[in-house]
Amino acid sequence: MRRASTNVLLAALAAAVVAALLLARSCATGPERSPDGLPDEAPASIPDEARRPARAARPRSAVPADVPANGPVPGTATAPPSKSEVPADDAKPKLRIRGRVLDEFGAGVGGAEIEVRAWSGNEADPQWFEVEDVAGADGAFDLTIDRERATRGFGIGTTAKGHVEGRRVVKLDAYDETRGIDVVVEPARAISGRVLDGDAKPIPGTTVQLWYGSETTWPTTVDADGRFRTPPHGPRRAFELWVEAPGYPARSVPLAATTSDVTDVGDIVFRRGGRIAGVVVDARGKPVQDLWLEVAQVRDEKNPAPRCRTDTNGRFEFTDLAGDTITIHVSVPDGEGGPAGARRTYRGGASEIRAGRADVHLVVTTECRVKLVFIDADTRKPVDVRKAEYGLRYEGGPEPERLGQGASSSPLLSTFLSAESGRRYDLTVRSAGFEDAHVNGIDVGDAAEVAIDVPMRRVR
């Protein structure tokens, strides 16, 4: 489980670094962000396929998928300590986490790696603690941690050769220390095969993954001949093999259920030669000229993704494309288009376009630059909030615990956001020393920029 723990730690540290960089950027320039910070349940203006052209190869994690989604937060728990590094404090109340790892017939799975991830604190600010162990010959495990580390509960992840990863999540008030908890694991299989291009040559750097859960991938790289064999952790039920070959669109290979220990998928071939053409229009049906488009594909250090620019009639054409289905999106960060003197920022894309089509009708959305101007609620004069957290959401949507965007400087009299044109939004601003500010029903028309006064009332 050391590998899984390290992956979780790296993910946490990466999240902290990204958050810090975004905050620093907003402090320096006043962030101009895309509407990605809108609630997940709201229809975002940019399709997921356009934001993430291909799934990144992620190492697997044994952490249960349904623990609180927020994850570690910068400024809270740091590196997750292991059992050997952080012994329990004998003076504190203890929680005994015990049980067995069992196969489908109820027999113990000896030598299974165990990872316990406990969490405490409130929903918005969880504190994490991780500890590892190895099950005995009968599949039994027995750990003790300080009870305060699991005030909300804990999750158990297991990994054993020839078995699918096991996952259990337990709320503290539903756990009985005297009975413990069992984790049942499925029998697994390995997947083998070969990845080739249209000339029957291997594609260096190709990664295949066992895609049967959001945190379960087991990425495996092909060898010099293009051959691969994954670890024996793929389910024997039906699932997907995800193949990412540099310079080609990622591909999903369906795998049928089986009772075999190994499934050979044979040759997986990526070919070029496809063509796609069409026209780009805005929400009003008007052609968008001089707009860069890009084909989504797995990153290739030697060959950049294919790009093309729309002509004065909004038409575009790609040739010699790879793959049977193609995803196209507005090139980011070069999202500006339109005639000289009236250029705007556009976002959007389309996925699952069959190669060979020449009638693609791609509708893109126009972005509006929203300027937030902070004013005193009583005097209506500019006010320096110094530091603020803020976020737009579609009108009527629930207010999130975390607003997603922020800035700090002195003076901080205004800042910028980006929003989809032609929509109505609700805004929340939070700043220390002020009451939460709400501006609802903001109508973002088709203007390139709008200014919104945000009344800030000092805490009495």
Side-chain angles (χ1 to χ4, degrees):
M1 298 298 290
R2 173 61 58 188
R3 181 171 58 252
S5 179
T6 301
N7 291 331
V8 174
L9 171 57
L10 291 175
L13 293 177
V17 170
V18 170
L21 289 174
L22 290 177
L23 182 58
R25 177 173 177 262
S26 67
C27 295
T29 62
E32 183 175 351
R33 313 264 176 102
S34 70
D36 284 3
L38 295 172
D40 291 339
E41 59 270 18
S45 62
I46 307 174
D48 285 343
E49 295 83 357
R51 295 194 198 101
R52 296 178 292 276
R55 302 193 210 195
R58 295 179 298 168
R60 64 93 182 175
S61 168
V63 177
D66 44 354
V67 298
N70 330 50
V73 178
T76 60
T78 55
S82 68
K83 179 181 179 182
S84 59
E85 295 168 341
V86 182
D89 186 337
D90 293 338
K92 296 180 179 180
K94 301 297 180 289
L95 175 67
R96 184 184 183 192
I97 301 175
R98 55 187 292 270
R100 296 180 69 197
V101 181
L102 305 175
D103 65 17
E104 59 182 331
F105 303 108
V109 179
E113 298 177 17
I114 310 295
E115 181 180 72
V116 173
R117 190 181 194 193
W119 68 96
S120 58
N122 58 49
E123 182 71 28
D125 190 22
Q127 305 288 325
W128 301 93
F129 175 78
E130 294 175 18
V131 61
E132 302 170 2
D133 201 2
V134 177
D138 59 352
F141 59 90
D142 196 334
L143 304 169
T144 300
I145 65 173
D146 293 335
R147 183 174 290 271
E148 65 182 19
R149 297 188 182 276
T151 56
R152 293 183 56 208
F154 60 90
I156 299 176
T158 71
T159 302
K161 185 177 181 179
H163 293 83
V164 179
E165 292 172 319
R167 302 171 185 274
R168 288 291 299 272
V169 176
V170 184
K171 291 185 177 180
L172 188 61
D173 56 7
Y175 176 61
D176 184 349
E177 290 184 63
T178 61
R179 297 183 59 184
I181 183 171
D182 293 336
V183 181
V184 179
V185 293
E186 303 175 49
R189 53 173 159 161
I191 310 298
S192 63
R194 185 171 57 166
V195 180
L196 304 171
D197 65 16
D199 296 322
K201 296 180 180 179
I203 307 174
T206 297
T207 300
V208 297
Q209 303 178 64
L210 306 175
W211 204 266
Y212 59 92
S214 61
E215 296 297 336
T216 305
T217 64
W218 289 99
T220 303
T221 304
V222 301
D223 65 16
D225 295 323
R227 299 185 183 278
F228 66 89
R229 183 185 175 104
T230 71
H233 296 298
R236 295 190 179 184
R237 51 185 160 84
F239 74 104
E240 295 178 6
L241 186 73
W242 192 256
V243 185
E244 296 180 325
Y248 297 85
R251 182 183 300 179
S252 171
V253 180
L255 300 175
T258 184
T259 58
S260 302
D261 293 334
V262 180
T263 297
D264 189 345
V265 297
D267 291 346
I268 302 172
V269 182
F270 288 81
R271 293 184 173 86
R272 297 189 182 277
R275 172 181 178 269
I276 288 179
V279 62
V280 178
V281 299
D282 62 18
R284 297 173 297 175
K286 183 179 179 180
V288 180
Q289 71 179 69
D290 197 30
L291 181 66
W292 281 102
L293 303 177
E294 185 173 293
V295 170
Q297 65 179 37
V298 178
R299 184 176 179 181
D300 185 351
E301 298 293 345
K302 297 181 179 180
N303 301 300
R307 302 177 75 206
C308 76
R309 181 184 290 178
T310 59
D311 63 17
T312 54
N313 296 314
R315 300 204 63 84
F316 68 91
E317 180 180 13
F318 287 97
T319 58
D320 196 28
L321 296 178
D324 297 326
T325 59
I326 309 297
T327 293
I328 297 174
H329 59 88
V330 175
S331 182
V332 178
D334 305 317
E336 287 195 350
R343 295 183 67 79
R344 297 289 299 277
T345 299
Y346 295 88
R347 294 286 182 262
S351 61
E352 299 299 317
I353 305 172
R354 298 293 303 181
R357 286 186 56 184
D359 61 345
V360 177
H361 192 76
L362 181 59
V363 180
V364 295
T365 59
T366 313
E367 284 194 359
C368 175
R369 194 166 185 245
V370 180
K371 182 179 182 180
L372 305 182
V373 181
F374 304 116
I375 61 173
D376 187 283
D378 297 320
T379 67
R380 312 302 292 183
K381 294 182 178 180
V383 61
D384 180 8
V385 298
R386 299 195 178 189
K387 183 176 182 179
E389 179 187 3
Y390 42 84
L392 287 171
R393 61 189 180 280
Y394 293 150
E395 184 180 31
E399 181 177 301
E401 290 191 31
R402 294 187 178 183
L403 301 178
Q405 300 175 61
S408 62
S409 66
S410 187
L412 180 60
L413 305 176
S414 63
T415 189
F416 289 91
L417 304 88
S418 292
E420 179 183 338
S421 298
R423 298 296 299 259
R424 291 177 64 88
Y425 294 91
D426 294 339
L427 168 73
T428 300
V429 176
R430 297 172 186 157
S431 180
F434 296 88
E435 298 178 2
D436 288 359
H438 299 86
V439 182
N440 297 331
I442 301 171
D443 187 4
V444 177
D446 195 36
E449 181 176 314
V450 297
I452 304 297
D453 287 343
V454 184
M456 304 297 295
R457 190 175 301 279
R458 296 186 185 276
V459 176
R460 305 297 183 185

mmCIF file with all atom_site columns, all heavy atoms in Angstrom, residues 130-149:
data_model
loop_
_atom_site.group_PDB
_atom_site.id
_atom_site.type_symbol
_atom_site.label_atom_id
_atom_site.label_alt_id
_atom_site.label_comp_id
_atom_site.label_asym_id
_atom_site.label_entity_id
_atom_site.label_seq_id
_atom_site.pdbx_PDB_ins_code
_atom_site.Cartn_x
_atom_site.Cartn_y
_atom_site.Cartn_z
_atom_site.occupancy
_atom_site.B_iso_or_equiv
_atom_site.pdbx_formal_charge
_atom_site.auth_seq_id
_atom_site.auth_comp_id
_atom_site.auth_asym_id
_atom_site.auth_atom_id
_atom_site.pdbx_PDB_model_num
ATOM 1   N N   . GLU A 1 130 ? -3.928  8.798   7.667  1.00 0.00 ? 130 GLU A N   1
ATOM 2   C CA  . GLU A 1 130 ? -3.819  7.514   6.988  1.00 0.00 ? 130 GLU A CA  1
ATOM 3   C C   . GLU A 1 130 ? -2.846  6.601   7.717  1.00 0.00 ? 130 GLU A C   1
ATOM 4   O O   . GLU A 1 130 ? -1.839  7.050   8.260  1.00 0.00 ? 130 GLU A O   1
ATOM 5   C CB  . GLU A 1 130 ? -3.356  7.704   5.553  1.00 0.00 ? 130 GLU A CB  1
ATOM 6   C CG  . GLU A 1 130 ? -4.380  8.437   4.706  1.00 0.00 ? 130 GLU A CG  1
ATOM 7   C CD  . GLU A 1 130 ? -3.861  8.732   3.315  1.00 0.00 ? 130 GLU A CD  1
ATOM 8   O OE1 . GLU A 1 130 ? -2.875  8.074   2.917  1.00 0.00 ? 130 GLU A OE1 1
ATOM 9   O OE2 . GLU A 1 130 ? -4.423  9.606   2.641  1.00 0.00 ? 130 GLU A OE2 1
ATOM 10  N N   . VAL A 1 131 ? -3.155  5.333   7.705  1.00 0.00 ? 131 VAL A N   1
ATOM 11  C CA  . VAL A 1 131 ? -2.302  4.335   8.338  1.00 0.00 ? 131 VAL A CA  1
ATOM 12  C C   . VAL A 1 131 ? -2.371  3.057   7.511  1.00 0.00 ? 131 VAL A C   1
ATOM 13  O O   . VAL A 1 131 ? -3.412  2.745   6.908  1.00 0.00 ? 131 VAL A O   1
ATOM 14  C CB  . VAL A 1 131 ? -2.747  4.079   9.804  1.00 0.00 ? 131 VAL A CB  1
ATOM 15  C CG1 . VAL A 1 131 ? -4.157  3.553   9.853  1.00 0.00 ? 131 VAL A CG1 1
ATOM 16  C CG2 . VAL A 1 131 ? -1.777  3.152   10.523 1.00 0.00 ? 131 VAL A CG2 1
ATOM 17  N N   . GLU A 1 132 ? -1.267  2.320   7.439  1.00 0.00 ? 132 GLU A N   1
ATOM 18  C CA  . GLU A 1 132 ? -1.164  1.147   6.578  1.00 0.00 ? 132 GLU A CA  1
ATOM 19  C C   . GLU A 1 132 ? -0.812  -0.099  7.380  1.00 0.00 ? 132 GLU A C   1
ATOM 20  O O   . GLU A 1 132 ? -0.231  -0.016  8.467  1.00 0.00 ? 132 GLU A O   1
ATOM 21  C CB  . GLU A 1 132 ? -0.097  1.373   5.503  1.00 0.00 ? 132 GLU A CB  1
ATOM 22  C CG  . GLU A 1 132 ? -0.358  2.590   4.641  1.00 0.00 ? 132 GLU A CG  1
ATOM 23  C CD  . GLU A 1 132 ? 0.831   2.925   3.766  1.00 0.00 ? 132 GLU A CD  1
ATOM 24  O OE1 . GLU A 1 132 ? 1.827   2.170   3.819  1.00 0.00 ? 132 GLU A OE1 1
ATOM 25  O OE2 . GLU A 1 132 ? 0.780   3.930   3.038  1.00 0.00 ? 132 GLU A OE2 1
ATOM 26  N N   . ASP A 1 133 ? -1.152  -1.239  6.818  1.00 0.00 ? 133 ASP A N   1
ATOM 27  C CA  . ASP A 1 133 ? -0.841  -2.516  7.452  1.00 0.00 ? 133 ASP A CA  1
ATOM 28  C C   . ASP A 1 133 ? -0.922  -3.609  6.394  1.00 0.00 ? 133 ASP A C   1
ATOM 29  O O   . ASP A 1 133 ? -1.335  -3.358  5.256  1.00 0.00 ? 133 ASP A O   1
ATOM 30  C CB  . ASP A 1 133 ? -1.819  -2.796  8.598  1.00 0.00 ? 133 ASP A CB  1
ATOM 31  C CG  . ASP A 1 133 ? -1.267  -3.816  9.598  1.00 0.00 ? 133 ASP A CG  1
ATOM 32  O OD1 . ASP A 1 133 ? -0.120  -4.263  9.407  1.00 0.00 ? 133 ASP A OD1 1
ATOM 33  O OD2 . ASP A 1 133 ? -1.977  -4.166  10.548 1.00 0.00 ? 133 ASP A OD2 1
ATOM 34  N N   . VAL A 1 134 ? -0.554  -4.831  6.770  1.00 0.00 ? 134 VAL A N   1
ATOM 35  C CA  . VAL A 1 134 ? -0.668  -5.992  5.891  1.00 0.00 ? 134 VAL A CA  1
ATOM 36  C C   . VAL A 1 134 ? -1.441  -7.071  6.635  1.00 0.00 ? 134 VAL A C   1
ATOM 37  O O   . VAL A 1 134 ? -1.139  -7.368  7.803  1.00 0.00 ? 134 VAL A O   1
ATOM 38  C CB  . VAL A 1 134 ? 0.718   -6.529  5.475  1.00 0.00 ? 134 VAL A CB  1
ATOM 39  C CG1 . VAL A 1 134 ? 0.570   -7.783  4.609  1.00 0.00 ? 134 VAL A CG1 1
ATOM 40  C CG2 . VAL A 1 134 ? 1.494   -5.460  4.716  1.00 0.00 ? 134 VAL A CG2 1
ATOM 41  N N   . ALA A 1 135 ? -2.441  -7.634  5.986  1.00 0.00 ? 135 ALA A N   1
ATOM 42  C CA  . ALA A 1 135 ? -3.259  -8.660  6.622  1.00 0.00 ? 135 ALA A CA  1
ATOM 43  C C   . ALA A 1 135 ? -2.443  -9.923  6.863  1.00 0.00 ? 135 ALA A C   1
ATOM 44  O O   . ALA A 1 135 ? -1.510  -10.239 6.119  1.00 0.00 ? 135 ALA A O   1
ATOM 45  C CB  . ALA A 1 135 ? -4.470  -8.978  5.750  1.00 0.00 ? 135 ALA A CB  1
ATOM 46  N N   . GLY A 1 136 ? -2.811  -10.663 7.909  1.00 0.00 ? 136 GLY A N   1
ATOM 47  C CA  . GLY A 1 136 ? -2.146  -11.914 8.212  1.00 0.00 ? 136 GLY A CA  1
ATOM 48  C C   . GLY A 1 136 ? -2.529  -13.008 7.237  1.00 0.00 ? 136 GLY A C   1
ATOM 49  O O   . GLY A 1 136 ? -3.271  -12.787 6.264  1.00 0.00 ? 136 GLY A O   1
ATOM 50  N N   . ALA A 1 137 ? -2.050  -14.221 7.500  1.00 0.00 ? 137 ALA A N   1
ATOM 51  C CA  . ALA A 1 137 ? -2.298  -15.348 6.604  1.00 0.00 ? 137 ALA A CA  1
ATOM 52  C C   . ALA A 1 137 ? -3.782  -15.647 6.461  1.00 0.00 ? 137 ALA A C   1
ATOM 53  O O   . ALA A 1 137 ? -4.229  -16.179 5.434  1.00 0.00 ? 137 ALA A O   1
ATOM 54  C CB  . ALA A 1 137 ? -1.550  -16.582 7.106  1.00 0.00 ? 137 ALA A CB  1
ATOM 55  N N   . ASP A 1 138 ? -4.567  -15.331 7.480  1.00 0.00 ? 138 ASP A N   1
ATOM 56  C CA  . ASP A 1 138 ? -6.009  -15.578 7.431  1.00 0.00 ? 138 ASP A CA  1
ATOM 57  C C   . ASP A 1 138 ? -6.797  -14.353 6.976  1.00 0.00 ? 138 ASP A C   1
ATOM 58  O O   . ASP A 1 138 ? -8.025  -14.328 7.067  1.00 0.00 ? 138 ASP A O   1
ATOM 59  C CB  . ASP A 1 138 ? -6.524  -16.024 8.797  1.00 0.00 ? 138 ASP A CB  1
ATOM 60  C CG  . ASP A 1 138 ? -6.250  -14.994 9.900  1.00 0.00 ? 138 ASP A CG  1
ATOM 61  O OD1 . ASP A 1 138 ? -5.530  -14.014 9.615  1.00 0.00 ? 138 ASP A OD1 1
ATOM 62  O OD2 . ASP A 1 138 ? -6.751  -15.178 11.022 1.00 0.00 ? 138 ASP A OD2 1
ATOM 63  N N   . GLY A 1 139 ? -6.091  -13.315 6.511  1.00 0.00 ? 139 GLY A N   1
ATOM 64  C CA  . GLY A 1 139 ? -6.754  -12.107 6.037  1.00 0.00 ? 139 GLY A CA  1
ATOM 65  C C   . GLY A 1 139 ? -7.094  -11.121 7.133  1.00 0.00 ? 139 GLY A C   1
ATOM 66  O O   . GLY A 1 139 ? -7.706  -10.073 6.851  1.00 0.00 ? 139 GLY A O   1
ATOM 67  N N   . ALA A 1 140 ? -6.704  -11.405 8.384  1.00 0.00 ? 140 ALA A N   1
ATOM 68  C CA  . ALA A 1 140 ? -7.076  -10.540 9.501  1.00 0.00 ? 140 ALA A CA  1
ATOM 69  C C   . ALA A 1 140 ? -6.157  -9.327  9.596  1.00 0.00 ? 140 ALA A C   1
ATOM 70  O O   . ALA A 1 140 ? -4.956  -9.399  9.310  1.00 0.00 ? 140 ALA A O   1
ATOM 71  C CB  . ALA A 1 140 ? -7.035  -11.324 10.801 1.00 0.00 ? 140 ALA A CB  1
ATOM 72  N N   . PHE A 1 141 ? -6.742  -8.198  10.006 1.00 0.00 ? 141 PHE A N   1
ATOM 73  C CA  . PHE A 1 141 ? -5.969  -6.984  10.288 1.00 0.00 ? 141 PHE A CA  1
ATOM 74  C C   . PHE A 1 141 ? -6.503  -6.363  11.564 1.00 0.00 ? 141 PHE A C   1
ATOM 75  O O   . PHE A 1 141 ? -7.663  -6.550  11.946 1.00 0.00 ? 141 PHE A O   1
ATOM 76  C CB  . PHE A 1 141 ? -6.045  -5.987  9.127  1.00 0.00 ? 141 PHE A CB  1
ATOM 77  C CG  . PHE A 1 141 ? -7.435  -5.531  8.778  1.00 0.00 ? 141 PHE A CG  1
ATOM 78  C CD1 . PHE A 1 141 ? -7.998  -4.416  9.376  1.00 0.00 ? 141 PHE A CD1 1
ATOM 79  C CD2 . PHE A 1 141 ? -8.190  -6.231  7.851  1.00 0.00 ? 141 PHE A CD2 1
ATOM 80  C CE1 . PHE A 1 141 ? -9.280  -3.997  9.056  1.00 0.00 ? 141 PHE A CE1 1
ATOM 81  C CE2 . PHE A 1 141 ? -9.483  -5.821  7.518  1.00 0.00 ? 141 PHE A CE2 1
ATOM 82  C CZ  . PHE A 1 141 ? -10.033 -4.710  8.122  1.00 0.00 ? 141 PHE A CZ  1
ATOM 83  N N   . ASP A 1 142 ? -5.627  -5.621  12.255 1.00 0.00 ? 142 ASP A N   1
ATOM 84  C CA  . ASP A 1 142 ? -5.993  -5.053  13.561 1.00 0.00 ? 142 ASP A CA  1
ATOM 85  C C   . ASP A 1 142 ? -5.148  -3.804  13.776 1.00 0.00 ? 142 ASP A C   1
ATOM 86  O O   . ASP A 1 142 ? -3.934  -3.887  13.966 1.00 0.00 ? 142 ASP A O   1
ATOM 87  C CB  . ASP A 1 142 ? -5.746  -6.073  14.668 1.00 0.00 ? 142 ASP A CB  1
ATOM 88  C CG  . ASP A 1 142 ? -6.465  -5.710  15.968 1.00 0.00 ? 142 ASP A CG  1
ATOM 89  O OD1 . ASP A 1 142 ? -6.725  -4.513  16.182 1.00 0.00 ? 142 ASP A OD1 1
ATOM 90  O OD2 . ASP A 1 142 ? -6.748  -6.626  16.754 1.00 0.00 ? 142 ASP A OD2 1
ATOM 91  N N   . LEU A 1 143 ? -5.769  -2.619  13.732 1.00 0.00 ? 143 LEU A N   1
ATOM 92  C CA  . LEU A 1 143 ? -5.075  -1.351  13.871 1.00 0.00 ? 143 LEU A CA  1
ATOM 93  C C   . LEU A 1 143 ? -5.692  -0.547  14.999 1.00 0.00 ? 143 LEU A C   1
ATOM 94  O O   . LEU A 1 143 ? -6.876  -0.693  15.311 1.00 0.00 ? 143 LEU A O   1
ATOM 95  C CB  . LEU A 1 143 ? -5.182  -0.536  12.581 1.00 0.00 ? 143 LEU A CB  1
ATOM 96  C CG  . LEU A 1 143 ? -4.702  -1.191  11.291 1.00 0.00 ? 143 LEU A CG  1
ATOM 97  C CD1 . LEU A 1 143 ? -5.117  -0.356  10.101 1.00 0.00 ? 143 LEU A CD1 1
ATOM 98  C CD2 . LEU A 1 143 ? -3.198  -1.348  11.312 1.00 0.00 ? 143 LEU A CD2 1
ATOM 99  N N   . THR A 1 144 ? -4.895  0.321   15.593 1.00 0.00 ? 144 THR A N   1
ATOM 100 C CA  . THR A 1 144 ? -5.388  1.222   16.628 1.00 0.00 ? 144 THR A CA  1
ATOM 101 C C   . THR A 1 144 ? -4.922  2.636   16.319 1.00 0.00 ? 144 THR A C   1
ATOM 102 O O   . THR A 1 144 ? -3.741  2.870   16.059 1.00 0.00 ? 144 THR A O   1
ATOM 103 C CB  . THR A 1 144 ? -4.878  0.802   18.018 1.00 0.00 ? 144 THR A CB  1
ATOM 104 O OG1 . THR A 1 144 ? -5.336  -0.513  18.307 1.00 0.00 ? 144 THR A OG1 1
ATOM 105 C CG2 . THR A 1 144 ? -5.411  1.751   19.086 1.00 0.00 ? 144 THR A CG2 1
ATOM 106 N N   . ILE A 1 145 ? -5.871  3.584   16.340 1.00 0.00 ? 145 ILE A N   1
ATOM 107 C CA  . ILE A 1 145 ? -5.541  4.987   16.110 1.00 0.00 ? 145 ILE A CA  1
ATOM 108 C C   . ILE A 1 145 ? -6.213  5.823   17.188 1.00 0.00 ? 145 ILE A C   1
ATOM 109 O O   . ILE A 1 145 ? -7.095  5.344   17.916 1.00 0.00 ? 145 ILE A O   1
ATOM 110 C CB  . ILE A 1 145 ? -5.995  5.468   14.715 1.00 0.00 ? 145 ILE A CB  1
ATOM 111 C CG1 . ILE A 1 145 ? -7.515  5.435   14.606 1.00 0.00 ? 145 ILE A CG1 1
ATOM 112 C CG2 . ILE A 1 145 ? -5.351  4.637   13.624 1.00 0.00 ? 145 ILE A CG2 1
ATOM 113 C CD1 . ILE A 1 145 ? -8.042  6.054   13.324 1.00 0.00 ? 145 ILE A CD1 1
ATOM 114 N N   . ASP A 1 146 ? -5.788  7.072   17.322 1.00 0.00 ? 146 ASP A N   1
ATOM 115 C CA  . ASP A 1 146 ? -6.472  7.981   18.236 1.00 0.00 ? 146 ASP A CA  1
ATOM 116 C C   . ASP A 1 146 ? -7.887  8.223   17.719 1.00 0.00 ? 146 ASP A C   1
ATOM 117 O O   . ASP A 1 146 ? -8.092  8.537   16.549 1.00 0.00 ? 146 ASP A O   1
ATOM 118 C CB  . ASP A 1 146 ? -5.716  9.309   18.337 1.00 0.00 ? 146 ASP A CB  1
ATOM 119 C CG  . ASP A 1 146 ? -4.359  9.154   18.997 1.00 0.00 ? 146 ASP A CG  1
ATOM 120 O OD1 . ASP A 1 146 ? -4.192  8.199   19.778 1.00 0.00 ? 146 ASP A OD1 1
ATOM 121 O OD2 . ASP A 1 146 ? -3.474  9.991   18.724 1.00 0.00 ? 146 ASP A OD2 1
ATOM 122 N N   . ARG A 1 147 ? -8.868  8.094   18.597 1.00 0.00 ? 147 ARG A N   1
ATOM 123 C CA  . ARG A 1 147 ? -10.264 8.209   18.191 1.00 0.00 ? 147 ARG A CA  1
ATOM 124 C C   . ARG A 1 147 ? -10.570 9.584   17.581 1.00 0.00 ? 147 ARG A C   1
ATOM 125 O O   . ARG A 1 147 ? -11.413 9.713   16.693 1.00 0.00 ? 147 ARG A O   1
ATOM 126 C CB  . ARG A 1 147 ? -11.177 7.942   19.389 1.00 0.00 ? 147 ARG A CB  1
ATOM 127 C CG  . ARG A 1 147 ? -12.664 7.963   19.081 1.00 0.00 ? 147 ARG A CG  1
ATOM 128 C CD  . ARG A 1 147 ? -13.473 7.538   20.281 1.00 0.00 ? 147 ARG A CD  1
ATOM 129 N NE  . ARG A 1 147 ? -13.302 6.130   20.563 1.00 0.00 ? 147 ARG A NE  1
ATOM 130 C CZ  . ARG A 1 147 ? -14.062 5.160   20.028 1.00 0.00 ? 147 ARG A CZ  1
ATOM 131 N NH1 . ARG A 1 147 ? -15.038 5.473   19.201 1.00 0.00 ? 147 ARG A NH1 1
ATOM 132 N NH2 . ARG A 1 147 ? -13.861 3.906   20.334 1.00 0.00 ? 147 ARG A NH2 1
ATOM 133 N N   . GLU A 1 148 ? -9.871  10.614  18.028 1.00 0.00 ? 148 GLU A N   1
ATOM 134 C CA  . GLU A 1 148 ? -10.136 11.958  17.536 1.00 0.00 ? 148 GLU A CA  1
ATOM 135 C C   . GLU A 1 148 ? -9.815  12.108  16.048 1.00 0.00 ? 148 GLU A C   1
ATOM 136 O O   . GLU A 1 148 ? -10.262 13.042  15.390 1.00 0.00 ? 148 GLU A O   1
ATOM 137 C CB  . GLU A 1 148 ? -9.336  12.985  18.325 1.00 0.00 ? 148 GLU A CB  1
ATOM 138 C CG  . GLU A 1 148 ? -7.831  12.865  18.148 1.00 0.00 ? 148 GLU A CG  1
ATOM 139 C CD  . GLU A 1 148 ? -7.040  13.865  18.970 1.00 0.00 ? 148 GLU A CD  1
ATOM 140 O OE1 . GLU A 1 148 ? -7.608  14.418  19.945 1.00 0.00 ? 148 GLU A OE1 1
ATOM 141 O OE2 . GLU A 1 148 ? -5.864  14.097  18.648 1.00 0.00 ? 148 GLU A OE2 1
ATOM 142 N N   . ARG A 1 149 ? -9.051  11.174  15.502 1.00 0.00 ? 149 ARG A N   1
ATOM 143 C CA  . ARG A 1 149 ? -8.715  11.238  14.083 1.00 0.00 ? 149 ARG A CA  1
ATOM 144 C C   . ARG A 1 149 ? -9.843  10.718  13.194 1.00 0.00 ? 149 ARG A C   1
ATOM 145 O O   . ARG A 1 149 ? -9.781  10.833  11.967 1.00 0.00 ? 149 ARG A O   1
ATOM 146 C CB  . ARG A 1 149 ? -7.435  10.443  13.804 1.00 0.00 ? 149 ARG A CB  1
ATOM 147 C CG  . ARG A 1 149 ? -6.194  10.998  14.503 1.00 0.00 ? 149 ARG A CG  1
ATOM 148 C CD  . ARG A 1 149 ? -4.958  10.275  14.014 1.00 0.00 ? 149 ARG A CD  1
ATOM 149 N NE  . ARG A 1 149 ? -3.740  10.714  14.675 1.00 0.00 ? 149 ARG A NE  1
ATOM 150 C CZ  . ARG A 1 149 ? -3.027  11.769  14.328 1.00 0.00 ? 149 ARG A CZ  1
ATOM 151 N NH1 . ARG A 1 149 ? -3.448  12.509  13.317 1.00 0.00 ? 149 ARG A NH1 1
ATOM 152 N NH2 . ARG A 1 149 ? -1.931  12.087  14.967 1.00 0.00 ? 149 ARG A NH2 1
#
